[in-house]
Amino acid sequence: MATLPTLPVPDSDLLRLDHQVCFSLHAASRAFGSVYRDALKELGLTYPQYLVMLVLWEHGPEPVKSIGERLRLDSGTLSPLLKRLEAAGLVHRERSPEDERSVTIRLTEAGEALRERALPVPRRIMAATGLTVDELRTLRSLLGRVTGALDEA
Amino acid sequence: MATLPTLPVPDSDLLRLDHQVCFSLHAASRAFGSVYRDALKELGLTYPQYLVMLVLWEHGPEPVKSIGERLRLDSGTLSPLLKRLEAAGLVHRERSPEDERSVTIRLTEAGEALRERALPVPRRIMAATGLTVDELRTLRSLLGRVTGALDEA
DNA sequence: TGCAACTAAGTTGTGCGCAACTCAATCGCA
DNA sequence: TGCGATTGAGTTGCGCACAACTTAGTTGCA
């Protein structure tokens, strides 16, 4: 199955492969975004906002810092996004008493309630991918390794 | 190796898997973007601008329409991007004589010349991914299938 | 103890991605 | 042939991503 190390891949093929991988990634990410956009429209959430809500639904109140670490987003992205979630009445922010620099994000009742309506979303997306569970696992694993390696560099 | 169809995957696992795949994709796409940003900085290109240049380097003058089809981008994204490439002196736009609605994008000499300096970029990215050629092929193939399936829906 | 280094969140500015729209050119068909 | 529908490019507006910066609070150590 594996390419024999003694059969070198031509240089030009490598360049094409790189372009194709990067481009596929870009395209796939946007294709997912588009399907999620449709699925989340009735909830009034964008895809990144949904990711933040997932973190809060799963882990409970969290400081901005750790939401950012989980989602690989910095305050420049999260601050305005959280402001919009707050304006929508889904979360509410409070300065941490023990560290005044830190702001804890907490779900409101409306934010908790939205969880029910969000439950059917992932299944719809899964079905739309057309991949088997095993393939999705392979994909997740490859993507995880790529991201890890790229973050090193 | 494959999961037996007779061993159903619990529902909650499916939901987690979906989240993980979508999130990994999102994260990987941004990780690639970040590495490309560094590699392209000295060329004065962003990653999407680089993708447009790749199309022009490979296919020669192209109308905005077909650049958009190749890259899965609409005029709302391409028009300002091309305006910036034009301002940078890399491309130049001309109305098509046979269809006055269409605008053909053509590389300037500076745009052609940039190709040389861009050649070493993909190899650097490939190395940074830490994946084998086979794994990259698998990744490309899975991503292509996902995008195709999602675009159906 | 005091002050420099660090840290968390927020702000500003730029570019991408996309929906919704405008405008002009072209097409198609009654 | 004329006129409504379609098409290609561009514009507007909003949200995300990120670099670079500011501000306020905390930490550590000389």
Side-chain angles (χ1 to χ4, degrees), chain A residues 11 14 20 22 24 27 33 35 47 50 57 59 62 66-68 84 94 119-120 132 142 145 149 151 153:
Chain A
D11 225 64
L14 279 183
Q20 289 166 358
C22 296
S24 306
V35 173
Y47 179 56
Y50 171 72
W57 284 326
H59 300 282
E62 288 251 306
S66 47
I67 297 177
R84 282 186 284 273
E94 50 199 32
L119 279 178
T132 67
L142 288 174
R145 284 175 52 203
D151 277 346

Side-chain angles (χ1 to χ4, degrees), chain A residues 46 48-49 73 76-77 81 84 98-101:
Chain A
T46 65
Q49 287 166 10
L73 292 172
T77 301
L81 187 157
R84 282 186 284 273
E98 60 269 16
D99 185 344
E100 291 275 329
R101 291 169 306 180

Side-chain angles (χ1 to χ4, degrees), chain B residues 16 21 66 68 73 119 125-126:
Chain B
R16 290 191 66 77
V21 169
S66 48
L73 292 172
L119 280 178
I125 310 293
M126 288 275 289

